[in-house]
Amino acid sequence: MSVMKRVSMIFKAKANRALDRMEDPRETLDYSYQRQLEMLTQVRRGVADVATSRKRVELQMNSLRQQQNKLQGQAKQALGAGREDLAREALSRKAALDSQLTDLENQYHSLQADEEKLTVASQRLQSKVEAFRMQKETIKATYTAAEAQSRIGEAVSGISEEMGDVGMAVQRAQDKTAQMQARAGAIDELMASGALDDISGTPRDDIQAELDSMRGGQNIELELQRLKGELGTGSKQAIEGGAGASDGAGASDGAAQSAAAEQPQAGDGA
Amino acid sequence: MIVRILGEGQLQVDDSASAELNALDAALEKAVNDGDEPAFRNALLALLDRVRALGTPLAADVLEPSDSILPRADADLDEVRGMLTGEGSIPG
């Protein structure tokens, strides 16, 4: 069993080094127990880090989906206004976000799996640490240093193997989380810069600007129609009432004419 | 005998399975030595599958060291090579 045996020998060598370090093997028990508690803290922190990372990816997925919905809405609006070219542009930007979303979804599932594995590992280590604590007390109470040696060796090797295993899992999860944080940071920056709003690279949302200007244009037309309508129904009132109003408008228009304009305004007030 | 699959925990496997597992392990070792990634992946997964199928998980509060330890399923070739030479970082 070469691979199997060799890996286990390396783990055993680590445990033996810990045992050799102490003169009284019973001291090893306390030392090892301290290390176990530290490892438990480390694993729990690892679980929390992975969960934080997963939540961040989730938020980003939500933002991207919102962005896609917005583009979908814009495409509909553009099509409604007879602008197929603009609708096509919006839909193609929506499609461009798909690959980013897929990437985030993969990260999310991978982090979720890591979180579950680490949680199980942390529970297993917790059980073993508790079993070790009980054995430690028994060994210290009932055995002399010489008698205790073999029992301590067994307990320490067993737990040290578990710690090595869990330690590697935490290390791996942390490395992966760090990588994902870096990628998440890059996406956050892209979102903040507005580049994701518009894949073509222009800083502002030009589709929305065009839709707005189209709508703005329509509104002006409507307003004009309404004003024309008003003029048509009550033209006399509008002309009589409009004389003073046009003077007032002239006053606010030009700062250079302000001195001249003040006179009719003062006259109006008196 | 007790076999640990890294990242999964320990299993109790009957000694009668030794010959079968040894053969799978030999194939794994050859793949590692040859640096043959696809063969390595197949051999590792085959070995892990057999250990999982033949073994019974040990209770979480058992403190016994394993007789054999196996890399996790998604370990890559370099990682396993590092473990075998003791260069891999095994904390604890």
Side-chain angles (χ1 to χ4, degrees):
Chain A
M1 290 199 180
S2 54
V3 175
M4 296 168 90
K5 288 289 176 209
R6 275 153 72 191
V7 175
S8 83
M9 273 165 57
I10 289 161
F11 273 80
K12 283 198 177 81
K14 294 245 171 194
N16 286 336
R17 276 203 290 281
L19 285 165
D20 290 344
R21 220 172 285 144
M22 306 291 162
E23 283 206 352
D24 181 343
R26 285 176 297 187
E27 282 174 37
T28 315
L29 290 173
D30 291 322
Y31 172 75
S32 175
Y33 187 62
Q34 279 312 311
R35 297 284 321 277
Q36 291 160 32
L37 296 180
E38 285 163 20
M39 181 62 88
L40 262 182
T41 309
Q42 212 177 318
V43 180
R44 288 183 186 138
R45 200 177 298 142
V47 173
D49 286 349
V50 174
T52 306
S53 225
R54 175 180 56 74
K55 281 173 201 151
R56 187 173 181 191
V57 169
E58 197 174 358
L59 286 176
Q60 291 188 328
M61 280 160 62
N62 290 341
S63 301
L64 281 188
R65 286 194 185 115
Q66 273 172 17
Q67 182 62 27
Q68 286 196 320
N69 287 339
K70 182 180 156 197
L71 286 164
Q72 176 84 32
Q74 286 178 337
K76 207 170 161 185
Q77 205 182 332
L79 214 52
R83 287 289 306 274
E84 200 178 320
D85 58 323
L86 208 54
R88 193 178 296 280
E89 177 62 23
L91 289 178
S92 78
R93 287 182 198 178
K94 180 179 169 240
L97 293 178
D98 280 343
S99 69
Q100 248 151 346
L101 198 54
T102 308
D103 186 36
L104 285 176
E105 274 164 356
N106 289 339
Q107 283 185 45
Y108 181 84
H109 289 125
S110 162
L111 285 168
Q112 204 174 29
D114 283 352
E115 196 179 336
E116 278 163 22
K117 271 189 212 159
L118 268 191
T119 306
V120 171
S122 138
Q123 284 160 355
R124 202 164 51 217
L125 181 62
Q126 166 90 57
S127 302
K128 286 205 194 295
V129 169
E130 184 52 25
F132 184 91
R133 191 187 61 78
M134 293 197 293
Q135 275 199 29
K136 170 171 95 83
E137 297 313 319
T138 313
I139 292 170
K140 281 170 99 175
T142 51
Y143 292 86
T144 64
E147 284 171 330
Q149 196 126 27
S150 71
R151 297 185 145 255
I152 291 171
E154 182 119 321
V156 170
S157 311
I159 195 96
S160 123
E161 188 185 303
E162 188 70 34
M163 297 223 292
D165 189 352
V166 170
M168 284 194 286
V170 173
Q171 185 75 56
R172 211 172 45 248
Q174 275 167 348
D175 289 350
K176 206 156 119 185
T177 307
Q179 277 176 12
M180 287 189 181
Q181 294 282 9
R183 283 160 80 183
I187 291 185
D188 277 345
E189 273 172 36
L190 275 177
M191 282 175 169
S193 75
L196 281 187
D197 290 348
D198 182 354
I199 293 302
S200 66
T202 20
R204 61 194 186 84
D205 187 341
D206 56 341
I207 291 183
Q208 194 57 48
E210 198 153 341
L211 284 170
D212 286 347
S213 80
M214 276 163 56
R215 198 171 46 206
Q218 285 166 357
N219 286 346
I220 290 167
E221 286 305 317
L222 284 172
E223 186 81 352
L224 275 174
Q225 290 300 325
R226 196 174 60 78
L227 286 174
K228 279 180 189 164
E230 276 179 17
L231 283 172
T233 54
S235 55
K236 278 181 184 172
Q237 283 172 352
I239 290 163
E240 280 170 11
S246 75
D247 275 347
S252 62
D253 271 345
Q257 296 173 339
S258 63
E262 252 166 25
Q263 287 174 334
Q265 240 179 7
D268 278 352
Chain B
M1 62 182 162
I2 297 174
V3 181
R4 174 185 292 274
I5 299 177
L6 290 174
E8 291 181 30
Q10 292 171 295
L11 299 115
Q12 180 76 52
V13 181
D14 196 272
D15 287 345
S16 63
S18 285
E20 185 189 354
L21 296 183
N22 277 338
L24 292 168
D25 191 25
L28 176 61
E29 191 194 18
K30 186 178 183 302
V32 172
N33 291 339
D34 294 350
D36 183 345
E37 174 73 40
F40 160 77
R41 183 68 49 207
N42 286 336
L44 179 58
L45 294 182
L47 179 53
L48 295 184
D49 276 349
R50 280 316 280 159
V51 170
R52 289 191 200 109
L54 296 166
T56 321
L58 277 191
D61 59 355
V62 169
L63 276 181
E64 282 187 60
S66 308
D67 299 293
S68 299
I69 299 182
L70 284 171
R72 56 175 216 285
D74 59 351
D76 61 41
L77 187 54
D78 287 340
E79 251 177 289
V80 173
R81 205 182 275 131
M83 280 167 113
L84 293 179
T85 53
E87 285 164 10
S89 53
I90 302 170

